[in-house]
Amino acid sequence: METLPDIPRVLTGIAEWAACLLYVLLRRQRLPVRRLVLVAALALGVLVAVQELADRLPLALWSLGMAAAVAAMYTFIVTAARVSARDAGYFAARALVLAELVAALHWQMHCFFFLPEGRPGVAWQVAFGAVMYVASFVLVYLIETRHFRPAQPLEVTSGELASAVAIALVTFFMSNISFLNANTPFSGRLGLEIFYIRTLVDLCGFVALYAQQGQRLQLRARADVKAVDEMLRRQHEQYLQSKRSIEVVDRKYHDLKHQIAVLRAERDEGKRASYLDDLEASVSGYAAQARTGNGVLDVILTSKSLECAEKGVDLTYVADGATIDFMSAMDVSAVFGNALDNAIDAVMAVPEPEKRLIKVALYATGGFVLATFENYFDGTLKTEDGAIVTRRADRDRHGYGLKSIRHTAEKYGGSMTVSAEDSWFALRILLPVPATSRTDDPGALAR
Amino acid sequence: MTRQARVTYHRPRPAGAAGRDRGPRRATPLRGGRKGPRRGGRGRRTPENGTVIRIGIVEDDAASAALLLDHLRRYEKDHGEQFDVTRFADGAQVVAGYRPVFDILLLDVEMPELDGFSAAEKIRQVDRDVVIVFITNMTQYAIRGYEVDALSYVLKPVPYFAFSQEIKRSIARLRRRSADYLLLTVDGGLVRVATDDIVFLESAKHRTTVHTVDGRYSVVGPLKSLEAELEGKSFFRSNSGYLVNLRHVLGVQGSSALMVGGHDLLISRPRKKAFLAALTDYLGARHA
């Protein structure tokens, strides 16, 4: 059997370089042009040199050579595209498979056209190669731009990175196995066919990675939609609340006008004083504004207490709002809004109105802030589906609320727990007070 | 002022220490002639089922006080408890000559002479342990109970159900305080240590070092056997070498727990989530 020449190492180096460059160009946050050109030129030299060097290594050290090449690719991407280490890893995995695919495809066609006797000379071969490479990479660039938003960080999770790397490595080894050892069940033996097998395996790898990215985008889009949904829902509630407040003010204004007229007309001092007392009493209820020391929390507690008053829920709270100054407004509203919504939903399922009790506490203890939301519940209803958490009609939103609270708590290095005991459901959130915002002096802590 | 009143960690004295009078009294207005019945030692601290629970009602309005008393009588019947109830007509009355003999104080927030909140602040200076429950009406919604370690309140007019739940919690809180002790085998004998006083236990080969608020003991025996003895208490194995009393955790920074006494203990990575969850439940339930 004739021995077929394998891909010249220079070409492999160039393919790797071009694949890396493609992903670098997909990012908007890359280096400025002049420095990018410099880094790219340097990378080209390094990648080709690494390939040439790897060629001189014995077959046993083949994987070492490949590891060096991958490391060089990774370094190129991380420097030129200015992405996080994880994102760069994700790109490097894709670049590796893409480089293999283009190099394999080109070489397969090259061998088909130019290998038999009497075919055109080197000039034609080079021209063909150049056209192939440029066309392939431009095509892939066009395909990939649909899946990568240049300004957004990828935020690849370690799980996603791991699966991308796994796909890349499996593709890489399966496609090269025929060249390393012809004596395995997966090795091709027939001349040009093994080139074709390699191209196909690489193509599969590329498609798998492409699909993975597509799925990531879809998942993220879904999460975005949920977050926006939640925000709109809150805004709508806020709007309804404002509308109700305006109506109350309007009504009170009319009442006041009449009462003032009556007061003006009254000549008797004693009666006048008693009218004034009545007047004072009639507006005292509207002073029930929460003043906890945290503006966002005040708004939430005020609107939720009004909601509770309307629904006949007994909501009481003891809250030191200053303890959560380190939390962003969005997080405060997400945590307290969600937790109170859950509690209100739960107590509304209790048939006896006098048992609709919610107790909220927010306070600092040691280096921690604790928030507890407790509500009475009808034990029989809750145990139906085993889990203590969800049994609402609007199951989807409810589950999302708890998840969002947990997520926020963990973002601040804290924790969230739920428990049910003696007909009381308790949601507890613990947040370590960040060192910078700790107001107590250390002496007070060590007391 | 607020810091004094915001009780975060209270540390019961070991057995034998004179029960209630902790250190010099700070507040002057609390000296007075009124002598309440006084029980010796730690007797008041741990009302077991069946023992009398001492409750003070501080309420200027007679009708309102009578309603509370009715509720308490009904609760006694429903739950088989025994209450010894004393009524005060103003915050100034309860504060004058206050002695820490009560288990639970029901404090009206609005009173003519001394309001319930100021009364609570004064009481807290000499009695960190009494469970305070505020009784208030809608207009004083925003009470700052966290400053006096009173984390819930009941709204007027007081409905029986809400009130009974609050009393139930308060009693549960009293009973949780039962002091218990651990017998340690040290070289040369046995030592009795209140579990609340243990900050953490540290494994040291075949011995265990027990760090307490007052000092260290080197105990014969592995950490494992002590861990088994402390099962169900507020202890957590934060890594293979430490058993931490959640009561004495002051903070968490990165992967270490700051303890009373300045110890900085490593929390192993796989246990950090469970550690935080245990701490959340411990702290959240303690004040409830």
Side-chain angles (χ1 to χ4, degrees), chain A residues 264-436:
Chain A
R264 276 224 182 91
E266 185 57 61
R267 295 275 165 239
D268 183 347
E269 276 300 319
K271 274 192 179 168
R272 215 156 148 166
S274 97
Y275 280 150
L276 280 171
D277 284 348
D278 288 351
L279 200 63
E280 193 183 359
S282 77
V283 293
S284 67
Y286 299 92
Q289 288 273 342
R291 271 182 295 273
T292 63
N294 181 299
V296 183
L297 187 59
D298 288 354
V299 171
I300 293 164
L301 285 176
T302 303
S303 65
K304 291 294 166 199
S305 356
L306 285 172
E307 186 186 335
C308 284
E310 277 166 23
K311 290 181 169 167
V313 172
D314 182 336
L315 165 69
T316 58
Y317 51 81
V318 174
D320 183 358
T323 54
I324 48 166
D325 277 347
F326 61 89
M327 285 178 83
S328 77
M330 280 298 282
D331 289 338
V332 172
S333 94
V335 167
F336 283 82
N338 276 319
L340 282 166
D341 282 352
N342 286 346
I344 293 169
D345 284 354
V347 291
M348 286 315 286
V350 178
E352 304 95 324
E354 79 272 13
K355 293 187 178 175
R356 293 178 185 155
L357 304 173
I358 301 176
K359 295 190 175 293
V360 177
L362 169 68
Y363 55 98
T365 171
F368 302 100
V369 175
L370 256 156
T372 62
F373 301 84
E374 291 165 291
N375 64 267
Y376 189 84
F377 73 91
D378 218 325
T380 50
L381 277 168
K382 277 233 166 165
T383 43
E384 258 175 28
D385 54 351
I388 47 169
V389 193
T390 292
R391 77 173 153 66
R392 322 235 184 293
D394 195 355
R395 208 168 268 248
D396 190 44
R397 178 162 75 69
H398 178 69
Y400 189 67
L402 273 188
K403 248 181 258 168
S404 139
I405 295 171
R406 186 185 297 279
H407 175 83
T408 310
E410 284 172 4
K411 192 174 82 183
Y412 287 95
S415 156
M416 181 204 92
T417 63
V418 290
S419 61
E421 203 179 313
D422 210 5
S423 287
W424 281 85
F425 177 84
L427 167 69
R428 302 190 178 107
I429 300 160
L430 171 116
L431 304 170
V433 179
T436 46

Side-chain angles (χ1 to χ4, degrees), chain A residues 315 359 367 370 417 424 428, chain B residues 141 153 165-166 250 281 283:
Chain A
L315 165 69
K359 295 190 175 293
L370 256 156
T417 63
W424 281 85
R428 302 190 178 107
Chain B
Y141 220 166
Y153 56 95
Q165 293 297 310
E166 203 55 51
L250 292 176
D281 275 339
L283 290 175

Side-chain angles (χ1 to χ4, degrees), chain B residues 18-76:
Chain B
R20 301 293 309 137
D21 294 17
R22 299 202 175 104
R25 292 194 171 190
R26 271 172 271 170
T28 42
L30 290 170
R31 277 181 224 275
R34 192 186 152 272
K35 288 211 166 66
R38 189 184 161 86
R39 285 186 245 154
R42 304 168 60 92
R44 192 200 81 170
R45 293 278 54 81
T46 59
E48 299 300 325
N49 281 314
T51 59
V52 179
I53 296 168
R54 298 204 39 141
I55 298 179
I57 298 178
V58 189
E59 165 68 90
D60 57 315
D61 179 37
S64 184
L67 180 69
L68 292 180
L69 193 61
D70 274 357
H71 286 342
L72 286 174
R73 294 294 170 232
R74 185 169 158 198
Y75 189 95
E76 280 183 313

Side-chain angles (χ1 to χ4, degrees), chain B residues 192-209:
Chain B
R192 196 167 82 127
V193 174
T195 48
D196 279 351
D197 287 348
I198 298 173
V199 180
F200 70 101
L201 298 93
E202 184 179 12
S203 168
K205 284 180 190 161
H206 299 297
R207 302 177 75 88
T208 305
T209 311

